[in-house]
Amino acid sequence: MSTMTRTGSTGGPASAGAATAEAGRGRGPRLSGMNWLVWRQHRAAYWTLLVAAAVTTTVMVYQRQQMMVYLDQYGSINGLKDGWEEKFTFQQPLSMASRLIGLAPVLVGVFVGAPLLAADLENGTAKLVTTQSASRVRWLGTKLGMTVLLVAVCTTAVSAAFTWWWSPVKSSQYALDWSGAAFDSSGPVPVALTLLSVVGGVAIGMLLRRTLLSMVVTLGFTVAVQVVWSYFRMSLGNIVTVTTDKGVGDGTSPDVPAGAYAVDEFYRTASGDLIGWGSCAEATEKATEACLDKAQVVGWSVDYIPVSQMSSMQWLGASILLALTACIAAFVILWGRKRLV
């Protein structure tokens, strides 16, 4: 009896201390319930995104520091002096980084978005949702919400790093043309394009219910989005027109801001009409001059979009892309609520 009493009295404090230590280790932000289940299921894809974003961001920050060491010799961001382009060697790294960011919506949409629901539907594990206490909407919302949040954080970090790296030479087309790859690699555009690709891939996987087929269709979807966007993005800007009346010879070109995107240019006649600049592309210089005289050409008319509009164009375009993403996400929730299995 006494032995049992001593054992009990000794074990009581020890057990209490162990419980306290265990409780202490369990404190702090930790995933639980449905959040833990979704993370556990897709942890390989999620960790890949996080590591890739961290490595890419670190490399861009390093490249930016190296570039600023060079630019400091020419006035840095306070105003670059003439001649800084002569030994500027960062065009290729900037171009490669912009291409890598441009591939992100395709890769993430295919390898993260498409299998998110398609794998569960193909393997039959989605049927377990209907036998558990958690509703389909909660399950769908958690999988979609956690994935969207993680993708948004990763792409925002990469986009911010690239924007910071490229901004000192933003106004110069020598470093990187802002109307092309740079437009899709900086600001909010990479985030919006990637989210649209991911959520679109989720919807495709939900409808097709086959992982490989969903990935193939998502690849076509993301490429189509990129192509349509490339034709659409510059229409978001407000065209500025500048005209001259000093002829069309040497030194008569109108003054256009540095880095401006030239939309089109025309010959301007005495009556104010515009004709295509190639309409007098004759075989000889004398014939060209005769054509210009006959058409009464007096100068140029140039349509362009200044680089100062880039930020507003990006936010407008990103808003449209995010609105489409929200519509697709709502479709996924509404469809999956009743027709998931």
Side-chain angles (χ1 to χ4, degrees), residues 1-318:
M1 253 338 241
S2 60
T3 304
M4 293 178 63
T5 303
R6 286 194 301 270
T7 304
S9 61
T10 303
S15 300
T20 303
E22 184 67 22
R25 287 195 297 268
R27 292 175 182 174
R30 300 186 66 180
L31 296 176
S32 61
M34 187 66 70
N35 293 327
W36 177 88
L37 179 63
V38 171
W39 176 270
R40 182 75 177 175
Q41 183 182 12
H42 303 288
R43 63 187 182 280
Y46 291 164
W47 276 118
T48 300
L49 284 175
L50 289 171
V51 172
V55 172
T56 304
T57 301
T58 302
V59 172
M60 289 183 182
V61 171
Y62 172 78
Q63 288 288 337
R64 206 263 188 184
Q65 293 175 345
Q66 295 299 308
M67 186 181 74
M68 293 308 299
V69 171
Y70 170 80
L71 293 180
D72 284 340
Q73 307 173 35
Y74 298 90
S76 189
I77 59 176
N78 296 323
L80 295 174
K81 300 177 182 178
D82 294 337
W84 68 270
E85 303 98 334
E86 294 180 1
K87 298 182 179 180
F88 188 78
T89 60
F90 293 89
Q91 302 99 322
Q92 186 174 0
L94 281 168
S95 179
M96 290 179 61
S98 65
R99 292 176 184 175
L100 179 63
I101 298 175
L103 285 175
V106 178
L107 296 176
V108 179
V110 171
F111 292 102
V112 177
L116 193 71
L117 293 179
D120 290 337
L121 292 170
E122 184 177 14
N123 297 331
T125 54
K127 294 181 179 180
L128 294 175
V129 177
T130 59
T131 64
Q132 305 300 318
S133 59
S135 65
R136 298 179 186 179
V137 173
R138 182 185 174 190
W139 182 67
L140 285 171
T142 304
K143 286 175 76 75
L144 191 60
M146 184 174 290
T147 303
V148 165
L149 177 61
L150 192 66
V151 170
V153 170
C154 292
T155 51
T156 298
V158 172
S159 176
F162 181 84
T163 304
W164 186 54
W165 176 18
W166 174 61
S167 58
V169 292
K170 177 179 178 179
S171 61
S172 174
Q173 290 185 341
Y174 178 80
L176 195 64
D177 184 9
W178 72 269
S179 63
F183 191 94
D184 298 341
S185 305
S186 59
V189 174
V191 182
L193 281 173
T194 306
L195 289 178
L196 177 60
S197 299
V198 169
V199 176
V202 173
I204 292 171
M206 183 184 65
L207 295 176
L208 298 181
R209 297 170 175 260
R210 294 293 183 271
T211 304
L212 184 58
L213 178 61
S214 299
M215 294 174 70
V216 173
V217 175
T218 300
L219 175 62
F221 168 76
T222 54
V223 171
V225 167
Q226 297 274 22
V227 172
V228 172
W229 172 254
S230 66
Y231 282 101
F232 169 75
R233 62 189 171 207
M234 296 312 297
S235 63
L236 299 170
N238 296 319
I239 296 177
V240 179
T241 301
V242 59
T243 60
T244 63
D245 56 0
K246 300 178 181 179
V248 293
D250 295 337
T252 61
S253 299
D255 293 330
V256 177
Y261 170 74
V263 179
D264 209 343
E265 59 181 356
F266 307 91
Y267 288 135
R268 182 169 175 266
T269 66
S271 61
D273 296 331
L274 303 178
I275 60 176
W277 63 269
S279 58
C280 285
E282 304 295 340
T284 63
E285 182 178 352
K286 185 175 181 180
T288 299
E289 292 178 355
C291 177
L292 294 174
D293 292 338
K294 182 178 180 180
Q296 297 183 336
V297 172
V298 296
W300 292 98
S301 177
V302 177
D303 296 338
Y304 69 92
I305 300 176
V307 68
S308 59
Q309 293 189 20
M310 179 180 178
S311 180
S312 60
M313 292 168 61
Q314 286 181 314
W315 282 105
L316 176 59

